[in-house]
Amino acid sequence: MLSVSEACARILEAFQPVEPQTVPLARAAGRILSSEITAGTDIPPFDYSSVDGFALKVADNSVGRTLRVRADIRAGTSSDIVIHPGECARIMTGAPIPDGAEAVIMVEDTDFNYHAPRQPAPQTVIIHKAVHLGENVRRRGEDLHIGDIALSHGIRVRAQEMGLLAMLGKSEVHVYRRPRLALLSGGDELLPVEVDLIPGKIHESNSYALATLAEASGVELVQLGVATDNEEDIRSRLEKAVQAKVDVIVSSAGVSVGAFDYVRSVVEARGELNFWKVNMRPGKPLVFGKYRNIPFFGLPGNPVSAFIGFEVFVKPALRKLGGLSESPRLKQKAILGQPIESDGRESYLRAEVSEENGQLVARLTGHQGSGNIFSLVRANALLIVPSGVKSLPASSEVEIWPIT
Ligand code: AMP
Ligand code: MG
């Protein structure tokens, strides 16, 4: 049977990044850059004062010295005055440093009464503290020089990138289009959340959990609803995904060997199966293929298996599809707080990881059955038991994936 890593490799082969588009900066947050960003200006673009104070020459800044105030420089202005020995200029935070000045002394370090609001600049000012060359001056290009690579291709735009893009004056940004993902659930036992339970039925939950995972990955969702255990219903819903021109279809349930598990045959009839079993726990039945040329994931129906299948297989595919540069999951290690039994399959167990005496300790959160969503709710990480391992004593080192 296919190993998890072989399955992942086959899946990734089937995906290529979607095409780029241009969006206004205000809509770029969370998107993936489709091209590198080069600085078109120095950042900052001119030398400026980082404090409210007086711009002066360092030779003039001995304690007790009186300087003549030549000018008053506000933020947003530019002047061509030149500071000579014995002179200074009052200057506000963010205002350009005048020629000739070499440092800025904070107003608090002078005799000027800065507590009174909106005072005009004084005629003279007395220095109370020496400042060194360049003190309180932010230099042009100190952050970035014109022509520097500011942001690389394939990164997700976070708050700080938004700030930098704005500083660089990028009013439009090239990003990858948001991939479109169609989500299908299925099973005769499933009732919508709005309806009271009756014997034999349960509330449909995968569409909510998987939609949340999908949206966190930055895709646009197309909900195909809940199919009954019936080939025609499954097929007609999949056809809606084709009409909606989605980039990927994720379905849950109906991929096992039950008498009414039709998903596999429907996909096979109008597409191709790549594989339908992976040597893992939970979630051994897992279909990957294409429905009419659209990559198709058939996750197992059990809520925990579906969640883990999404984390392990769908997420990396969505990263590639969305244009994110290869940056593998940050691997974290923890120490087992208890012994663990496994069945030799690569296992993704629900665990709570906490810091104890400076190290991360992982403990299982309870029932590991693939339907027990409550232990997943109590978990903050998946704990990975490698294939071939049947038991691990307490204090063994294990890999964990934080789940947020
Ligand atoms: P299946 O993969 O169709 O054999 O389903 C496996 C288990 O998952 C069954 O107990 C189903 O009732 C349950 N299940 C399947 N789909 C969903 C869903 N969308 N929401 C909640 N439970 C589900
Ligand atoms: Mg079913």
Side-chain angles (χ1 to χ4, degrees):
M1 206 185 309
L2 216 56
S3 70
V4 172
S5 63
E6 286 163 343
C8 279
R10 287 208 202 172
I11 289 168
L12 287 181
E13 251 170 50
F15 286 90
Q16 288 313 320
V18 293
E19 66 284 356
Q21 58 179 195
T22 304
V23 295
L25 177 60
R27 297 205 14 242
R31 307 295 296 273
I32 315 298
L33 292 183
S34 62
S35 60
E36 186 174 270
I37 303 284
T38 312
T41 57
D42 289 325
I43 300 287
F46 51 86
D47 293 356
Y48 73 93
S49 177
S50 63
V51 297
D52 295 319
F54 295 87
L56 43 64
K57 288 198 167 298
V58 280
D60 276 342
N61 77 47
S62 44
V63 174
R65 173 124 198 217
T66 302
L67 299 179
R68 190 164 77 81
V69 180
R70 283 259 342 256
D72 196 15
I73 309 173
R74 299 173 59 158
T77 62
S78 81
S79 71
D80 43 22
I81 72 143
V82 182
I83 301 299
H84 300 291
E87 297 175 346
C88 67
R90 183 165 80 157
I91 191 166
M92 303 299 149
T93 305
I97 303 290
D99 283 348
E102 297 157 338
V104 177
I105 184 167
M106 287 167 71
V107 64
E108 293 90 329
D109 295 330
T110 68
D111 71 328
F112 186 62
N113 176 13
Y114 61 92
H115 290 296
R118 282 183 289 285
Q119 287 191 80
Q123 297 286 313
T124 60
V125 70
I126 301 172
I127 305 301
H128 285 171
K129 190 187 146 200
V131 287
H132 60 74
L133 181 69
E135 191 164 334
N136 299 322
V137 175
R138 298 217 174 113
R139 291 283 170 209
R140 168 179 187 158
E142 151 184 307
D143 232 9
L144 280 173
H145 286 109
I146 186 165
D148 283 352
I149 294 172
L151 296 172
S152 36
H153 156 264
I155 61 153
R156 191 184 294 280
V157 178
R158 304 169 297 171
Q160 49 270 57
E161 281 83 27
M162 288 292 281
L164 179 61
L165 287 163
M167 277 188 191
L168 290 168
K170 307 285 182 190
S171 59
E172 291 189 324
V173 188
H174 303 301
V175 296
Y176 288 101
R177 166 173 75 74
R178 253 181 228 285
R180 290 161 69 76
L181 179 149
L183 204 53
L184 175 69
S185 307
D188 288 345
E189 72 281 27
L190 304 175
L191 285 182
V193 285
E194 297 80 12
V195 174
D196 287 341
L197 291 182
I198 53 172
K201 306 276 188 188
I202 60 171
H203 283 133
E204 192 284 310
S205 64
N206 287 346
S207 70
Y208 291 91
L210 299 181
T212 306
L213 288 176
E215 280 178 333
S217 296
V219 302
E220 256 175 42
L221 262 190
V222 176
Q223 285 278 13
L224 302 176
V226 183
T228 50
D229 287 322
N230 161 304
E231 285 194 299
E232 192 38 51
D233 192 9
I234 296 169
R235 192 177 305 119
S236 75
R237 287 173 195 271
L238 292 180
E239 285 302 312
K240 288 202 183 108
V242 177
Q243 282 156 24
K245 296 195 165 30
V246 301
D247 301 293
V248 55
I249 304 172
V250 176
S251 129
S252 67
V255 288
S256 197
V257 291
F260 306 101
D261 287 341
Y262 292 124
V263 170
R264 193 155 31 112
S265 56
V266 170
V267 170
E268 214 169 6
R270 293 203 179 168
E272 61 192 66
L273 277 186
N274 189 321
F275 59 81
W276 59 281
K277 267 184 183 176
V278 181
N279 194 17
M280 70 183 290
R281 186 175 69 119
K284 181 171 69 168
L286 191 134
V287 168
F288 181 69
K290 284 191 169 162
Y291 181 81
R292 288 176 171 276
N293 230 21
I294 302 172
F296 176 93
F297 289 92
L299 303 177
N302 274 300
V304 176
S305 310
F307 179 100
I308 290 174
F310 197 101
E311 284 287 324
V312 176
F313 301 109
V314 183
K315 264 194 185 170
L318 294 183
R319 292 174 68 90
K320 185 170 179 196
L321 180 65
L324 258 182
S325 288
E326 219 70 21
S327 94
R329 223 175 248 281
L330 284 182
K331 287 213 167 116
Q332 285 197 37
K333 298 283 183 192
I335 301 299
L336 275 185
Q338 64 181 104
I340 280 183
E341 303 290 313
S342 188
D343 67 357
R345 280 185 282 167
E346 183 162 326
S347 300
Y348 292 77
L349 308 179
R350 287 141 261 172
E352 190 184 4
V353 176
S354 55
E355 204 186 304
E356 291 173 24
N357 306 319
Q359 60 183 8
L360 295 179
V361 177
R363 291 193 177 76
L364 299 185
T365 50
H367 262 296
Q368 297 288 320
S370 53
N372 302 115
I373 202 168
F374 193 54
S375 56
L376 184 56
V377 167
R378 289 173 51 214
N380 59 9
L382 297 178
L383 183 169
I384 295 131
V385 183
S387 73
V389 174
K390 293 208 165 161
S391 72
L392 284 169
S395 300
S396 314
E397 197 183 61
V398 287
E399 187 185 331
I400 52 159
W401 288 2
I403 45 175
T404 43

